[in-house]
Coordinates of all heavy atoms in Angstrom, one line a residue:
M98 N -12.8 -18.9 -6.8 CA -11.4 -18.8 -6.8 C -10.9 -20.0 -6.0 O -11.3 -20.2 -4.9 CB -10.8 -17.5 -6.3 CG -9.3 -17.4 -6.3 SD -8.7 -15.9 -5.6 CE -9.5 -14.6 -6.6
S99 N -9.9 -20.7 -6.5 CA -9.4 -21.9 -5.7 C -8.5 -21.4 -4.6 O -8.0 -20.3 -4.6 CB -8.6 -22.8 -6.6 OG -7.4 -22.2 -7.0
V100 N -8.3 -22.3 -3.6 CA -7.4 -22.0 -2.5 C -6.0 -21.7 -3.0 O -5.3 -20.8 -2.5 CB -7.4 -23.1 -1.4 CG1 -6.4 -22.8 -0.3 CG2 -8.8 -23.2 -0.8
A101 N -5.5 -22.5 -3.9 CA -4.1 -22.4 -4.4 C -4.0 -21.0 -5.1 O -3.0 -20.3 -5.0 CB -3.8 -23.5 -5.4
S102 N -5.0 -20.6 -5.9 CA -5.0 -19.4 -6.5 C -5.0 -18.2 -5.6 O -4.3 -17.2 -5.7 CB -6.2 -19.3 -7.5 OG -6.3 -18.0 -8.1
S103 N -5.8 -18.3 -4.5 CA -5.9 -17.2 -3.6 C -4.5 -17.1 -2.8 O -4.1 -16.0 -2.4 CB -7.0 -17.3 -2.6 OG -6.9 -18.5 -1.8
H104 N -3.9 -18.3 -2.5 CA -2.6 -18.2 -1.8 C -1.5 -17.6 -2.8 O -0.7 -16.9 -2.3 CB -2.2 -19.6 -1.4 CG -2.9 -20.2 -0.2 ND1 -2.9 -19.5 1.0 CD2 -3.6 -21.3 -0.1 CE1 -3.7 -20.2 1.8 NE2 -4.1 -21.3 1.2
G105 N -1.6 -17.9 -4.0 CA -0.7 -17.3 -5.0 C -0.8 -15.8 -5.1 O 0.1 -15.1 -5.1
I106 N -2.1 -15.3 -5.1 CA -2.3 -13.9 -5.1 C -1.8 -13.2 -3.8 O -1.2 -12.2 -3.9 CB -3.8 -13.6 -5.3 CG1 -4.2 -14.0 -6.7 CG2 -4.1 -12.1 -5.1 CD1 -5.7 -14.0 -7.0
A107 N -2.1 -13.9 -2.7 CA -1.7 -13.3 -1.4 C -0.1 -13.3 -1.4 O 0.5 -12.3 -0.9 CB -2.2 -14.2 -0.3
A108 N 0.5 -14.3 -1.9 CA 2.0 -14.4 -1.9 C 2.5 -13.3 -2.8 O 3.5 -12.6 -2.4 CB 2.5 -15.7 -2.4
A109 N 1.9 -13.1 -3.9 CA 2.4 -12.0 -4.8 C 2.2 -10.6 -4.2 O 3.1 -9.8 -4.3 CB 1.6 -12.1 -6.1
N110 N 1.1 -10.4 -3.5 CA 0.9 -9.2 -2.8 C 1.9 -8.9 -1.7 O 2.4 -7.8 -1.5 CB -0.5 -9.1 -2.2 CG -1.5 -8.9 -3.3 OD1 -1.2 -8.3 -4.4 ND2 -2.8 -9.3 -3.0
L111 N 2.3 -10.0 -0.9 CA 3.3 -9.9 0.1 C 4.6 -9.6 -0.4 O 5.4 -8.7 0.1 CB 3.3 -11.2 1.0 CG 2.1 -11.4 1.9 CD1 2.2 -12.8 2.5 CD2 2.1 -10.4 3.0
V112 N 5.0 -10.2 -1.5 CA 6.3 -9.9 -2.2 C 6.3 -8.5 -2.6 O 7.3 -7.8 -2.4 CB 6.5 -10.9 -3.4 CG1 7.7 -10.4 -4.2 CG2 6.7 -12.3 -2.9
S113 N 5.3 -8.0 -3.2 CA 5.2 -6.6 -3.7 C 5.3 -5.7 -2.5 O 6.1 -4.7 -2.6 CB 3.9 -6.4 -4.5 OG 3.8 -5.1 -4.9
T114 N 4.6 -5.9 -1.5 CA 4.6 -5.0 -0.3 C 6.0 -5.0 0.3 O 6.5 -3.9 0.7 CB 3.5 -5.5 0.7 OG1 2.3 -5.4 0.0 CG2 3.5 -4.6 1.9
A115 N 6.6 -6.2 0.5 CA 7.9 -6.2 1.2 C 8.9 -5.6 0.3 O 9.8 -4.9 0.8 CB 8.3 -7.7 1.4
T116 N 8.9 -5.7 -1.0 CA 9.8 -5.1 -1.9 C 9.7 -3.6 -1.9 O 10.7 -2.9 -1.8 CB 9.6 -5.6 -3.3 OG1 9.8 -7.0 -3.3 CG2 10.6 -5.0 -4.3
M117 N 8.4 -3.1 -1.9 CA 8.2 -1.7 -1.8 C 8.8 -1.1 -0.5 O 9.4 -0.1 -0.5 CB 6.8 -1.3 -2.0 CG 6.6 0.2 -2.0 SD 4.9 0.8 -1.9 CE 4.6 0.5 -0.2
A118 N 8.4 -1.7 0.6 CA 8.9 -1.3 1.9 C 10.4 -1.2 2.0 O 11.0 -0.3 2.5 CB 8.3 -2.1 3.0
G119 N 11.1 -2.3 1.4 CA 12.5 -2.3 1.4 C 13.1 -1.2 0.5 O 14.1 -0.6 0.9
L120 N 12.5 -1.0 -0.6 CA 12.9 0.1 -1.5 C 12.8 1.4 -0.8 O 13.8 2.2 -0.8 CB 12.1 0.1 -2.8 CG 12.3 1.2 -3.7 CD1 13.8 1.2 -4.3 CD2 11.3 1.2 -4.9
L121 N 11.7 1.7 -0.2 CA 11.5 3.0 0.5 C 12.5 3.2 1.6 O 13.1 4.2 1.8 CB 10.1 3.1 1.0 CG 9.0 3.2 0.0 CD1 7.6 3.3 0.6 CD2 9.2 4.4 -0.9
R122 N 12.7 2.1 2.4 CA 13.7 2.2 3.5 C 15.1 2.5 3.0 O 15.9 3.3 3.5 CB 13.7 0.9 4.3 CG 14.7 0.9 5.5 CD 14.7 -0.3 6.3 NE 13.3 -0.5 6.9 CZ 12.9 -1.6 7.4 NH1 13.7 -2.7 7.4 NH2 11.7 -1.7 7.9
C123 N 15.5 1.8 1.9 CA 16.8 2.0 1.3 C 17.0 3.4 0.8 O 18.0 4.0 1.0 CB 17.0 1.0 0.1 SG 18.6 1.0 -0.7
L124 N 15.9 3.9 0.1 CA 16.0 5.3 -0.4 C 16.1 6.3 0.7 O 16.8 7.3 0.6 CB 14.8 5.6 -1.3 CG 14.8 4.8 -2.6 CD1 13.5 5.1 -3.3 CD2 16.0 5.2 -3.5
V125 N 15.5 6.1 1.8 CA 15.7 7.0 3.0 C 17.1 6.9 3.5 O 17.7 7.9 3.8 CB 14.6 6.7 4.1 CG1 14.9 7.4 5.4 CG2 13.2 7.1 3.6
Q126 N 17.6 5.7 3.7 CA 18.9 5.5 4.2 C 20.0 6.1 3.4 O 21.0 6.6 3.9 CB 19.2 4.0 4.4 CG 18.4 3.4 5.6 CD 18.6 1.9 5.7 OE1 19.0 1.2 4.8 NE2 18.1 1.3 6.8
K127 N 19.8 6.1 2.1 CA 20.7 6.7 1.1 C 20.6 8.2 1.0 O 21.3 8.8 0.3 CB 20.6 6.0 -0.2 CG 21.1 4.5 -0.2 CD 21.0 3.9 -1.6 CE 21.5 2.5 -1.5 NZ 22.9 2.3 -1.9
G128 N 19.5 8.7 1.6 CA 19.3 10.2 1.6 C 18.6 10.6 0.3 O 18.5 11.8 0.1
V129 N 18.1 9.7 -0.4 CA 17.4 10.1 -1.7 C 16.0 10.6 -1.3 O 15.5 11.6 -1.9 CB 17.2 8.9 -2.6 CG1 16.4 9.2 -3.8 CG2 18.6 8.4 -3.0
L130 N 15.4 10.0 -0.3 CA 14.0 10.4 0.2 C 14.1 10.8 1.7 O 14.9 10.2 2.4 CB 13.0 9.3 0.0 CG 12.6 8.9 -1.4 CD1 11.7 7.7 -1.4 CD2 12.0 10.0 -2.2
Q131 N 13.3 11.7 2.1 CA 13.1 12.1 3.5 C 11.8 11.5 4.0 O 11.0 11.0 3.2 CB 13.0 13.6 3.6 CG 14.3 14.3 3.0 CD 15.5 14.0 3.8 OE1 15.6 13.9 5.0 NE2 16.6 13.7 3.0
A132 N 11.7 11.5 5.3 CA 10.5 10.9 5.9 C 9.2 11.6 5.4 O 8.2 10.9 5.2 CB 10.6 11.1 7.5
A133 N 9.3 12.8 5.1 CA 8.1 13.5 4.5 C 7.7 13.0 3.2 O 6.6 12.9 2.8 CB 8.4 15.0 4.5
D134 N 8.8 12.6 2.4 CA 8.5 12.0 1.1 C 7.8 10.7 1.2 O 6.9 10.4 0.4 CB 9.8 11.8 0.3 CG 10.6 13.1 0.1 OD1 9.9 14.1 -0.2 OD2 11.8 13.0 0.2
I135 N 8.2 9.9 2.2 CA 7.5 8.6 2.4 C 6.1 8.8 2.8 O 5.2 8.1 2.3 CB 8.3 7.8 3.5 CG1 9.8 7.6 3.1 CG2 7.6 6.5 3.8 CD1 10.0 6.9 1.8
R136 N 5.8 9.8 3.7 CA 4.5 10.1 4.1 C 3.6 10.5 2.9 O 2.5 10.0 2.7 CB 4.5 11.2 5.1 CG 3.1 11.5 5.6 CD 3.1 12.5 6.8 NE 1.8 12.7 7.3 CZ 1.1 11.9 8.1 NH1 1.7 10.7 8.5 NH2 -0.1 12.1 8.5
E137 N 4.2 11.3 2.0 CA 3.5 11.7 0.8 C 3.1 10.5 -0.1 O 2.1 10.4 -0.7 CB 4.3 12.7 0.0 CG 3.6 13.3 -1.2 CD 4.4 14.3 -1.9 OE1 5.5 14.7 -1.5 OE2 3.9 14.8 -2.9
I138 N 4.1 9.6 -0.2 CA 3.8 8.4 -1.0 C 2.6 7.6 -0.5 O 1.8 7.2 -1.2 CB 5.1 7.5 -1.1 CG1 6.2 8.2 -1.9 CG2 4.8 6.1 -1.6 CD1 7.6 7.6 -1.8
Y139 N 2.6 7.4 0.8 CA 1.5 6.7 1.4 C 0.2 7.5 1.3 O -0.9 6.9 1.1 CB 1.8 6.4 2.9 CG 2.7 5.3 3.1 CD1 3.9 5.4 3.9 CD2 2.5 4.0 2.6 CE1 4.8 4.4 4.0 CE2 3.4 3.0 2.7 CZ 4.6 3.2 3.5 OH 5.5 2.2 3.6
E140 N 0.2 8.8 1.4 CA -1.0 9.6 1.2 C -1.5 9.5 -0.2 O -2.7 9.4 -0.4 CB -0.7 11.0 1.6 CG -0.6 11.2 3.1 CD -0.1 12.6 3.5 OE1 0.2 13.4 2.6 OE2 -0.2 12.9 4.7
I141 N -0.6 9.5 -1.2 CA -1.0 9.3 -2.6 C -1.6 7.9 -2.8 O -2.6 7.7 -3.5 CB 0.2 9.5 -3.5 CG1 0.5 11.0 -3.5 CG2 -0.2 9.1 -4.9 CD1 1.8 11.4 -4.2
A142 N -1.0 6.9 -2.1 CA -1.5 5.5 -2.2 C -3.0 5.5 -1.7 O -3.8 4.8 -2.3 CB -0.7 4.6 -1.5
L143 N -3.2 6.2 -0.6 CA -4.6 6.2 -0.1 C -5.6 6.9 -1.1 O -6.7 6.4 -1.3 CB -4.7 7.0 1.2 CG -4.2 6.2 2.5 CD1 -4.2 7.2 3.7 CD2 -5.1 5.1 2.8
L144 N -5.1 7.9 -1.7 CA -6.0 8.6 -2.7 C -6.3 7.7 -3.9 O -7.4 7.6 -4.3 CB -5.3 9.9 -3.2 CG -6.0 10.7 -4.3 CD1 -7.3 11.2 -3.7 CD2 -5.1 11.8 -4.7
I145 N -5.3 7.0 -4.3 CA -5.5 6.0 -5.4 C -6.5 5.0 -5.0 O -7.3 4.6 -5.8 CB -4.1 5.4 -5.9 CG1 -3.3 6.5 -6.5 CG2 -4.3 4.3 -6.8 CD1 -1.8 6.1 -6.8
L146 N -6.3 4.4 -3.8 CA -7.3 3.4 -3.4 C -8.7 4.0 -3.4 O -9.7 3.3 -3.8 CB -7.0 2.9 -2.0 CG -5.8 1.9 -1.9 CD1 -5.5 1.6 -0.4 CD2 -6.1 0.7 -2.6
E147 N -8.9 5.2 -2.9 CA -10.2 5.8 -2.9 C -10.8 5.9 -4.3 O -12.0 5.7 -4.5 CB -10.2 7.1 -2.2 CG -9.9 7.0 -0.7 CD -9.7 8.4 0.0 OE1 -9.9 9.4 -0.7 OE2 -9.3 8.4 1.2
Q148 N -9.9 6.3 -5.2 CA -10.4 6.5 -6.6 C -10.8 5.1 -7.2 O -11.7 5.1 -8.0 CB -9.3 7.2 -7.4 CG -9.0 8.6 -7.0 CD -7.8 9.2 -7.7 OE1 -6.9 8.5 -8.2 NE2 -7.7 10.5 -7.7
Q149 N -10.0 4.1 -6.9 CA -10.3 2.8 -7.5 C -11.5 2.1 -6.8 O -12.1 1.3 -7.5 CB -9.0 1.9 -7.4 CG -7.9 2.4 -8.2 CD -6.6 1.5 -8.0 OE1 -6.5 0.8 -7.0 NE2 -5.7 1.6 -8.9
Q150 N -11.7 2.4 -5.6 CA -12.8 1.7 -4.9 C -14.1 1.8 -5.5 O -14.9 0.9 -5.6 CB -12.9 2.1 -3.4 CG -13.9 1.4 -2.6 CD -13.8 1.7 -1.1 OE1 -12.9 2.4 -0.7 NE2 -14.8 1.3 -0.4
G151 N -14.4 3.0 -6.1 CA -15.7 3.2 -6.7 C -15.9 2.3 -7.9 O -17.0 2.0 -8.3
A152 N -14.8 1.9 -8.6 CA -14.9 1.0 -9.8 C -15.2 -0.4 -9.4 O -15.6 -1.2 -10.3 CB -13.7 1.2 -10.6
V153 N -14.9 -0.8 -8.1 CA -15.0 -2.2 -7.7 C -15.8 -2.3 -6.4 O -15.3 -2.6 -5.4 CB -13.7 -2.9 -7.6 CG1 -13.8 -4.4 -7.4 CG2 -12.7 -2.5 -8.7
P154 N -17.1 -1.9 -6.4 CA -17.9 -1.9 -5.2 C -18.0 -3.2 -4.4 O -18.1 -3.2 -3.2 CB -19.3 -1.4 -5.6 CG -19.3 -1.6 -7.1 CD -17.9 -1.6 -7.6
D155 N -17.8 -4.3 -5.1 CA -17.9 -5.6 -4.5 C -16.7 -5.9 -3.6 O -16.7 -6.9 -2.9 CB -18.1 -6.7 -5.5 CG -19.5 -6.6 -6.2 OD1 -20.4 -6.0 -5.6 OD2 -19.6 -7.2 -7.3
A156 N -15.6 -5.2 -3.8 CA -14.4 -5.4 -3.1 C -14.2 -4.5 -1.9 O -13.0 -4.2 -1.5 CB -13.2 -5.3 -4.0
E157 N -15.3 -4.0 -1.3 CA -15.1 -3.0 -0.2 C -14.3 -3.5 0.9 O -13.4 -2.7 1.4 CB -16.5 -2.6 0.3 CG -16.5 -1.6 1.4 CD -17.9 -1.2 1.9 OE1 -18.9 -1.6 1.2 OE2 -18.0 -0.6 3.0
A158 N -14.4 -4.7 1.3 CA -13.6 -5.3 2.4 C -12.1 -5.3 2.1 O -11.3 -5.0 3.0 CB -14.1 -6.7 2.8
T159 N -11.8 -5.6 0.9 CA -10.4 -5.6 0.4 C -9.8 -4.2 0.5 O -8.7 -4.0 1.0 CB -10.3 -6.2 -1.0 OG1 -10.9 -7.5 -1.0 CG2 -8.9 -6.2 -1.4
F160 N -10.6 -3.2 0.0 CA -10.1 -1.8 0.0 C -10.0 -1.3 1.4 O -9.0 -0.6 1.8 CB -11.0 -0.9 -0.8 CG -10.8 -1.0 -2.3 CD1 -11.6 -1.9 -3.1 CD2 -9.8 -0.3 -2.9 CE1 -11.3 -2.0 -4.4 CE2 -9.6 -0.4 -4.3 CZ -10.3 -1.2 -5.1
K161 N -10.9 -1.7 2.3 CA -10.8 -1.3 3.7 C -9.6 -1.8 4.4 O -8.9 -1.1 5.1 CB -12.1 -1.8 4.4 CG -12.1 -1.3 5.9 CD -13.4 -1.7 6.5 CE -13.4 -1.2 8.0 NZ -14.7 -1.6 8.7
A162 N -9.3 -3.1 4.1 CA -8.0 -3.7 4.7 C -6.8 -3.0 4.1 O -5.8 -2.8 4.9 CB -8.0 -5.2 4.3
A163 N -6.8 -2.7 2.8 CA -5.6 -2.0 2.2 C -5.5 -0.6 2.8 O -4.4 -0.2 3.2 CB -5.8 -1.9 0.7
R164 N -6.6 0.1 3.0 CA -6.5 1.4 3.6 C -6.0 1.4 5.0 O -5.1 2.2 5.4 CB -7.9 2.1 3.6 CG -8.3 2.8 2.3 CD -9.5 3.7 2.5 NE -10.5 3.2 3.3 CZ -11.5 2.4 2.8 NH1 -11.5 2.0 1.5 NH2 -12.5 1.9 3.5
S165 N -6.4 0.4 5.8 CA -6.0 0.2 7.2 C -4.5 0.0 7.2 O -3.8 0.5 8.1 CB -6.7 -0.9 7.9 OG -8.0 -0.6 8.0
A166 N -4.0 -0.9 6.3 CA -2.5 -1.1 6.3 C -1.7 0.1 6.0 O -0.7 0.4 6.6 CB -2.2 -2.2 5.2
I167 N -2.2 0.9 5.0 CA -1.5 2.1 4.6 C -1.6 3.1 5.8 O -0.6 3.8 6.1 CB -2.0 2.7 3.3 CG1 -1.7 1.8 2.1 CG2 -1.5 4.1 3.1 CD1 -2.3 2.1 0.9
E168 N -2.7 3.3 6.4 CA -2.9 4.2 7.4 C -2.0 3.9 8.6 O -1.5 4.8 9.3 CB -4.4 4.3 7.9 CG -5.2 5.0 6.8 CD -6.7 4.8 7.1 OE1 -7.1 4.0 7.9 OE2 -7.5 5.5 6.4
R169 N -1.7 2.6 8.9 CA -0.8 2.3 10.0 C 0.6 2.9 9.7 O 1.3 3.2 10.6 CB -0.7 0.8 10.1 CG -1.9 0.2 10.9 CD -1.6 -1.3 11.3 NE -1.4 -2.1 10.2 CZ -2.3 -2.8 9.5 NH1 -3.6 -2.6 9.9 NH2 -2.1 -3.6 8.5
N170 N 1.0 3.0 8.4 CA 2.3 3.5 8.1 C 2.3 5.1 8.2 O 3.3 5.7 8.3 CB 2.7 3.2 6.6 CG 3.1 1.7 6.5 OD1 4.0 1.3 7.1 ND2 2.3 1.0 5.7
L171 N 1.1 5.7 8.3 CA 1.0 7.1 8.4 C 0.9 7.5 9.9 O 1.1 8.7 10.2 CB -0.2 7.6 7.7 CG -0.1 7.6 6.2 CD1 -1.4 8.0 5.5 CD2 1.0 8.6 5.7
A172 N 0.6 6.6 10.8 CA 0.4 6.9 12.2 C 1.7 7.2 12.9 O 2.8 6.9 12.5 CB -0.2 5.7 12.9

């Protein structure tokens, strides 16, 4: 994978993550979601990562980093 390609992928992931975080924050501020709902969303995200990791064993480090990022939101 080229450096430009990996930067593009990283940028897309950052945009996605920032957009999701902004959406969740907005929904809490508007009273659509409660803090418990946000926690549940992150717990489901962890479950999905665990399910997907088995299908891509070569990407263990990537999944570990993703789990760590999500777990920080649960702390």
Side-chain angles (χ1 to χ4, degrees):
M98 178 181 305
S99 73
V100 172
S102 177
S103 65
H104 285 305
I106 292 169
N110 287 335
L111 287 171
V112 168
S113 177
T114 301
T116 301
M117 185 192 72
L120 173 63
L121 293 176
R122 181 179 297 166
C123 182
L124 291 173
V125 169
Q126 289 174 346
K127 291 181 181 264
V129 176
L130 294 176
Q131 302 297 317
D134 298 320
I135 302 301
R136 182 172 184 79
E137 183 177 0
I138 290 168
Y139 284 124
E140 288 173 349
I141 292 169
L143 281 174
L144 178 63
I145 291 169
L146 282 176
E147 289 174 10
Q148 292 171 342
Q149 291 177 344
Q150 184 173 350
V153 192
D155 294 340
E157 182 179 345
T159 303
F160 281 96
K161 183 176 180 179
R164 278 194 316 275
S165 293
I167 293 171
E168 288 168 349
R169 281 192 300 273
N170 288 299
L171 290 171

